[in-house]
Amino acid sequence: MRPVIRSSSLSRIRWALRNNQERYSSTLYSKSRKLLIGVNQNQALVNTNTDNSSLYSRLSIFRGLSAEAVEAADPATTRLTVSDVNRKGPLVEYERRINDGELMTGDICQIGALRELQRLYDELVDSVDTCRLDRYNTSDKSSRSRWFWSRLMPQTSYSPVKGLYLYGGVGTGKTMLMDLFFDQLPCTWKKQRIHFHDFMLSVHSRLQKHKGLSDPLEVVAQEIAHDAILLCLDEFMVTDVADALILNRLFGHLFSNGVILVATSNRNPDKLYEGGLQRDLFLPFISSLKERSVVHEIGSAVDYRKLTSAEQGFYFIGKDLSTLLKQKFQQLIGDNVVARPQVVEVVMGRKLQIPLGANGCAYFPFEELCDRPLGAADYFGLFKKFHTLALDGIPVFGLHNRTAAYRFVTLVDVMYENRARLLCTAEASPLELLEKIVTISEAKSMAPRTSSRSRKNDVTELCVDNELGFAKDRTISRLTEMNSKEYLEQHAITHNL
């Protein structure tokens, strides 16, 4: 729906169009907004209020924000105008959700991230034509023509707008903020929001399809850019050497095709793939990422995912609880329903064997899902067909089952991304499951053991692994949230249960 423009603003638009002899088109609003900013810079266009900073300077009228958040934004003025009320973007939507009780009172750290997201939103709206964001702005014929010639004659077209890389600790609201930003963007834009694991699976699948070409990565990047100029990647975390080795060239092609990246991560860009194999080949990607994106840290001492109600009885601690788990599993699928082995197809022709499945619920012993050579592709395939997983016998993780720990972390990430439900038995609480996994810096800072415990025992108990160590808190937090009343209610809504 086209925005409503004031009569005074409309007269200025007509004046600008008449003097510049521009043809009225479907993109009138975005073009005229730029003209209003540039035509009379010495005049105060009070009625239009297009200055980005004005939004932030009036943050003090937001009732839901804490005093600290207001002061951090800008206490210079408190006046609210009509155009503020009509303004769109993630910062305005954030305030609406606070006032409606959907979110907690504003967090000063989240406000800083929202200002960056609002900055990006405003720049994208102003540059929608230059960035080629609107998929319906050009005819299908001309679009196909550019697509054809881009394959024959490589072109470079960096976006005039920088993206955004948000990073911070567990539970700081990174995913929520990115989704809030993404949902405010017009549905006609070439945009995509996807989990990083899922994105890389898609890339490898495309590479397989274009195998044999001189530079399949260039073709893959062109395909991605053709569908999504704005690419939002959640949970950017590089642990796979195959991913690390192609990211620099892949994003080099993506950025040169005008792609704008918005990413969330637990890691500072300089810490990505730290200690990984052949990391020197990965370092140019970090430089490119920092050049094409604004890097912003979200700092918070609050884990919002743990601010939920008490456990709902889906996480059972102890050994030899298989009979209990199968009873609970039967209750979920229905007393008169018989679960049977099933097969799920995943990417690149692979198939995953399901020991027992019925009515959207799948049952697995832990060993069959995390002690076998499975990965994110298999887990995504699983949760495209099943909304609930009954997992029997999650062990305490350490040095002896490091590989299983990696798979379990990935499994939890994929489940959380798909809002799946977990019914499980485990040897310990979420915190205790991963207690023996530490980062290198944590291992160095640990107090020396007493003489009653040998150094040999210390080594066998601890798993010193940077990537697992950094992923640990996220996994603990997500396991905690996935067993909360709020999460289970959202799961029911998402899957129409």
Side-chain angles (χ1 to χ4, degrees):
M1 184 174 68
R2 184 169 301 161
V4 177
I5 306 176
R6 293 171 174 269
S7 59
S8 60
S9 301
L10 197 58
S11 63
R12 293 179 183 277
I13 295 169
R14 289 171 178 161
W15 178 86
L17 291 173
R18 202 164 46 244
N19 282 271
N20 289 279
Q21 297 181 346
E22 290 194 14
R23 185 165 53 89
Y24 188 90
S25 69
S26 61
T27 57
L28 170 64
Y29 179 69
S30 60
K31 288 183 178 180
S32 59
R33 188 165 180 262
K34 297 175 195 175
L35 288 169
L36 288 173
I37 296 173
V39 168
N40 283 320
Q41 293 184 353
N42 294 325
Q43 298 181 16
L45 300 179
V46 177
N47 291 334
T48 57
N49 258 325
T50 53
D51 183 11
N52 295 342
S53 62
S54 65
L55 177 64
Y56 311 135
S57 65
R58 279 179 287 275
L59 269 175
S60 56
I61 57 89
F62 284 173
R63 289 168 294 170
L65 301 181
S66 64
E68 293 83 3
V70 171
E71 185 178 355
D74 190 348
T77 176
T78 60
R79 187 179 59 175
L80 178 66
T81 66
V82 175
S83 61
D84 286 321
V85 175
N86 295 329
R87 193 177 182 87
K88 295 182 179 180
L91 198 54
V92 178
E93 176 62 13
Y94 182 80
E95 161 64 8
R96 183 197 68 75
R97 293 188 186 184
I98 289 177
N99 287 337
D100 290 348
E102 298 176 30
L103 294 175
M104 294 178 59
T105 301
D107 184 324
I108 183 173
C109 299
Q110 289 184 349
I111 293 300
L114 279 160
R115 292 177 66 179
E116 290 295 339
L117 287 167
Q118 186 70 42
R119 182 271 310 168
L120 178 58
Y121 176 90
D122 291 337
E123 289 184 9
L124 290 173
V125 170
D126 287 340
S127 307
V128 61
D129 294 331
T130 307
C131 294
R132 309 189 311 278
L133 279 164
D134 194 335
R135 66 178 70 253
Y136 302 115
N137 194 35
T138 54
S139 68
D140 290 339
K141 183 176 179 181
S142 61
S143 178
R144 287 195 301 268
S145 175
R146 283 197 305 273
W147 174 238
F148 173 77
W149 285 109
S150 66
R151 283 175 172 266
L152 297 180
M153 303 175 63
Q155 303 172 6
T156 299
S157 179
Y158 290 101
S159 170
V161 177
K162 281 192 174 185
L164 183 62
Y165 182 97
L166 293 175
Y167 76 96
V170 171
T172 52
K174 300 182 295 295
T175 297
M176 180 276 291
L177 293 176
M178 187 177 75
D179 286 345
L180 189 151
F181 163 78
F182 186 83
D183 292 342
Q184 294 300 299
L185 302 173
C187 60
T188 58
W189 283 12
K190 296 198 292 185
K191 59 176 184 174
Q192 182 183 27
R193 187 273 190 212
I194 187 171
H195 192 277
F196 180 72
H197 279 316
D198 209 3
F199 173 72
M200 292 309 301
L201 288 173
S202 172
V203 168
H204 287 296
S205 181
R206 290 173 186 259
L207 286 174
Q208 191 71 17
K209 183 176 68 173
H210 297 300
K211 191 176 181 180
L213 297 180
S214 57
D215 190 354
L217 270 176
E218 182 179 9
V219 178
V220 169
Q222 288 174 350
E223 289 179 347
I224 294 171
H226 183 259
D227 296 329
I229 288 295
L230 184 65
L231 183 61
C232 296
L233 299 182
D234 191 29
E235 299 291 356
F236 204 110
M237 181 180 68
V238 187
T239 58
D240 187 90
V241 63
D243 293 346
L245 293 180
I246 68 172
L247 277 173
N248 183 48
R249 289 179 53 235
L250 172 64
F251 274 89
H253 290 310
L254 286 174
F255 289 144
S256 68
N257 276 279
V259 168
I260 304 162
L261 175 66
V262 179
T264 68
S265 178
N266 285 0
R267 308 294 299 274
N268 182 306
D270 293 321
K271 300 293 184 180
L272 286 172
Y273 197 53
E274 190 174 32
L277 294 173
Q278 296 182 287
R279 189 172 186 261
D280 56 322
L281 300 178
F282 178 78
L283 292 178
F285 166 71
I286 296 177
S287 299
S288 178
L289 177 65
K290 292 162 69 174
E291 180 183 350
R292 299 304 313 162
S293 307
V294 173
V295 177
H296 181 84
E297 180 181 9
I298 307 177
S300 178
V302 179
D303 183 345
Y304 290 94
R305 290 198 289 260
K306 290 183 179 178
L307 298 178
T308 53
S309 61
E311 296 178 356
Q312 300 300 300
F314 282 80
Y315 190 107
F316 301 97
I317 300 174
K319 295 183 178 181
D320 302 323
L321 297 176
S322 296
T323 301
L324 174 63
L325 185 68
K326 287 184 177 179
Q327 290 174 352
K328 295 290 184 180
F329 176 71
Q330 188 65 50
Q331 291 174 9
L332 290 179
I333 65 175
D335 292 335
N336 299 322
V337 178
V338 178
R340 292 184 173 86
Q342 297 187 29
V343 176
V344 171
E345 292 188 4
V346 296
V347 296
M348 293 181 278
R350 294 180 58 180
K351 294 183 179 180
L352 178 63
Q353 302 291 329
I354 313 297
L356 292 173
N359 284 351
C361 301
Y363 173 89
F364 276 89
F366 177 84
E367 294 79 10
E368 291 194 31
L369 203 54
C370 296
D371 266 346
R372 294 172 54 205
L374 302 177
D378 304 285
Y379 302 147
F380 273 108
L382 174 65
F383 294 110
K384 283 180 180 178
K385 186 170 182 179
F386 297 94
H387 57 69
T388 298
L389 171 66
L391 190 60
D392 187 18
I394 304 173
V396 172
F397 297 104
L399 188 61
H400 68 287
N401 57 1
R402 179 203 305 248
T403 304
Y406 264 106
R407 294 196 185 102
F408 181 68
V409 166
T410 302
L411 174 65
V412 172
D413 284 344
V414 174
M415 288 191 70
Y416 190 84
E417 174 70 12
N418 287 274
R419 308 306 291 178
R421 179 171 54 182
L422 177 65
L423 171 67
C424 70
T425 63
E427 292 183 355
S429 68
L431 179 63
E432 294 167 331
L433 286 179
L434 297 151
E435 195 172 21
K436 296 179 182 178
I437 295 174
V438 297
T439 63
I440 295 174
S441 60
E442 287 171 342
K444 290 179 178 178
S445 63
M446 283 182 173
R449 302 294 187 182
T450 63
S451 57
S452 62
R453 300 180 63 186
S454 69
R455 217 173 263 277
K456 182 178 180 180
N457 287 335
D458 290 345
V459 173
T460 57
E461 288 176 3
L462 289 180
C463 173
V464 182
D465 187 301
N466 262 359
E467 293 302 331
L468 273 180
F470 281 108
K472 175 176 69 174
D473 288 343
R474 181 178 76 249
T475 304
I476 294 169
S477 177
R478 288 185 168 179
L479 284 173
T480 303
E481 183 189 0
M482 288 165 69
N483 200 39
S484 69
K485 176 183 177 182
E486 291 81 1
Y487 182 92
L488 295 172
E489 288 176 347
Q490 184 60 45
H491 167 270
I493 294 171
T494 302
H495 299 284
N496 298 315
L497 299 179

